[in-house]
Amino acid sequence: EVGEPFKEEKAVAKYLRFNCPTKSTNMMGHRVDYFIASKAVDCLLDSKWAKAKKGEEALFTTRESVVDYCNRLLKKQFFHRALKVMKMKPDKDTKKEKEKGKAESGKEEEKKSKKESGKDEKTKKEKEKEKKKDGEKDECKKDDTPGTPKKKETKRKFKLEPHEDQVFLDGNEVYVWIYDPVHFKTFAMGLVLVIAVIAATLFPLWPAEMRVGVYYLSVGAGCFVASILLLAVARCILFLIIWLITGGRHHFWFLPNLTADVGFIDSFRPLYTHEYKGPKADLKKEEKAESKKQQKYDSEEKSDSEKKEEEDGKTEGTRNSGTDGSGGERHSDTDSDRREDDRSQHSSGNGNDFEMITKEELEQQTDEGDCEEEEEEDNESRPSHGKS
């Protein structure tokens, strides 16, 4: 025999009903709310009953004490234990899924074979890196086997059925609410609606000034709604007139957000919008597309030219390294010429000027020099004979 719940038990159940996270589902053809036992225990441990008051002990000190108290609430039929039953898919759907999986696995094998043929051209280092990456992926995804398609993460549907053992256990057990008290907000809203309906029915008994004020308010509200409807029709007519006159080139909308799903102030912003959809607009679009294509081609050509320049530089370097021995004499000749030019520049800077002399003048000068040397020798020999 189960007695009636106490005030404290009702307060705890009400707190748990509105603060513990709940979900809704179908059970025996009815829509019900359910919660998980572990979350309910955590919720009560964070409540005011878990804190000790002056001269009184805390109602909930450990998880076991919360479980015992929830067993009392279960016996007094605030909630009951339920069992999750997963919904199984029919055989046709499973066969279709298997066929799709086989087809996708065949496509993936073909793609892998193509990739392997392309990978043969790569170096050994790249292959080792790819193997390392594959190993990391396999460690991260142990459940995913190669050759099988990736399944989409779908939530499995389930239904609830009453459990045979009606006991509260701390864990992932499911409990369905039977206790459904009225929230204070819903109670207040219902009370306000009732008062408004009674006041509307007693309208003839209102004072004359209040009735006149309500009349003018209703007329103003009606005029406002009618003006919005007229604006909506007028903007459509204006759009059609401009569209027909310009042959569909100009699209002009007055108050474009008037009928859109936006706020009251945003429905009047912006004041108008205008779009031109003529041949010029198409030309501009084409020009933009062509400019983008040209930029792509230019970037590709630049990359090709840079590659060619690098190749030419490499070939020139190899040629220069091969022809160092044969071109040594040429370098030496050019070096001697440069030295002579430097010497002439230094002599001109010092003030020693040289004249250009032909071959004939050089021969005459050499002959004169030889004659002078012979005369000197004769002069030297003559005094020697006189002395003797």
Side-chain angles (χ1 to χ4, degrees), residues 58-83:
L59 185 62
F60 305 125
T61 55
T62 60
R63 297 184 74 88
E64 293 177 356
S65 62
V66 176
V67 171
D68 293 336
Y69 198 90
C70 288
N71 273 314
R72 287 169 55 188
L73 296 177
L74 188 142
K75 289 178 181 178
K76 294 188 177 181
Q77 296 182 356
F78 285 99
F79 48 82
H80 65 86
R81 189 181 178 188
L83 181 66

Side-chain angles (χ1 to χ4, degrees), residues 245-262:
I245 291 169
T246 59
R249 295 180 180 178
H250 293 273
H251 290 213
F252 181 83
W253 282 104
F254 179 70
L255 296 175
N257 293 326
L258 186 65
T259 57
D261 189 9
V262 293

Side-chain angles (χ1 to χ4, degrees), residues 23-27 30-34 80 160 176-177:
K23 295 180 182 179
S24 59
T25 186
N26 290 324
M27 181 178 178
H30 298 283
R31 197 73 176 170
V32 294
D33 295 331
Y34 69 94
H80 65 86
L160 296 178
V176 179
W177 281 107

Side-chain angles (χ1 to χ4, degrees), residues 112-260:
K112 284 183 179 180
S113 62
K114 290 179 181 178
K115 288 180 180 178
E116 287 174 357
S117 62
K119 285 179 181 178
D120 293 336
E121 298 177 356
K122 294 181 179 180
T123 59
K124 293 180 180 180
K125 292 181 181 179
E126 291 178 354
K127 287 182 180 179
E128 288 176 358
K129 288 180 182 179
E130 288 176 358
K131 286 179 182 178
K132 288 179 182 179
K133 290 179 181 179
D134 294 333
E136 290 176 357
K137 289 180 181 178
D138 292 333
E139 289 178 358
C140 295
K141 297 179 180 180
K142 292 180 180 178
D143 296 333
D144 297 335
T145 56
T148 56
K150 292 181 180 179
K151 295 181 180 180
K152 294 181 180 178
E153 294 181 357
T154 56
K155 292 182 179 179
R156 296 182 67 184
K157 294 182 180 180
F158 63 91
K159 61 180 181 179
L160 296 178
E161 292 182 356
H163 203 283
E164 293 179 357
D165 297 329
Q166 292 296 320
V167 181
F168 190 88
L169 301 174
D170 186 7
N172 292 325
E173 298 294 327
V174 178
Y175 292 87
V176 179
W177 281 107
I178 300 172
Y179 181 61
D180 191 13
V182 179
H183 201 272
F184 177 74
K185 289 182 180 179
T186 57
F187 178 77
M189 289 173 69
L191 185 63
V192 169
L193 284 173
V194 170
I195 292 168
V197 170
I198 293 169
T201 55
L202 297 174
F203 181 73
L205 300 176
W206 288 13
E209 294 177 354
M210 291 178 68
R211 283 183 287 172
V212 171
V214 170
Y215 171 75
Y216 283 118
L217 284 172
S218 61
V219 170
C223 292
F224 178 73
V225 173
S227 64
I228 289 173
L229 293 173
L230 289 171
L231 275 173
V233 175
R235 62 192 284 275
C236 293
I237 294 168
L238 182 63
F239 174 81
L240 286 172
I241 291 167
I242 295 169
W243 187 79
L244 290 171
I245 291 169
T246 59
R249 295 180 180 178
H250 293 273
H251 290 213
F252 181 83
W253 282 104
F254 179 70
L255 296 175
N257 293 326
L258 186 65
T259 57

Side-chain angles (χ1 to χ4, degrees), residues 11 14 49 52 63 88 98 102 158 180 192 194 236 272 274 314 319 338-339 363 374:
K14 194 173 183 179
W49 292 281
R63 297 184 74 88
M88 300 297 292
K98 287 180 181 179
K102 288 179 181 178
F158 63 91
D180 191 13
V192 169
V194 170
C236 293
Y272 66 91
H274 176 258
K314 289 179 182 178
R319 287 177 184 173
R338 287 175 184 173
R339 287 173 185 173
E363 290 175 356
E374 289 175 356

Side-chain angles (χ1 to χ4, degrees), residues 362-378:
L362 284 170
E363 290 175 356
Q364 290 177 359
Q365 288 178 359
T366 53
D367 293 335
E368 290 176 355
D370 294 334
C371 294
E372 289 177 356
E373 289 177 356
E374 289 175 356
E375 288 177 356
E376 288 177 357
E377 290 176 357
D378 293 335

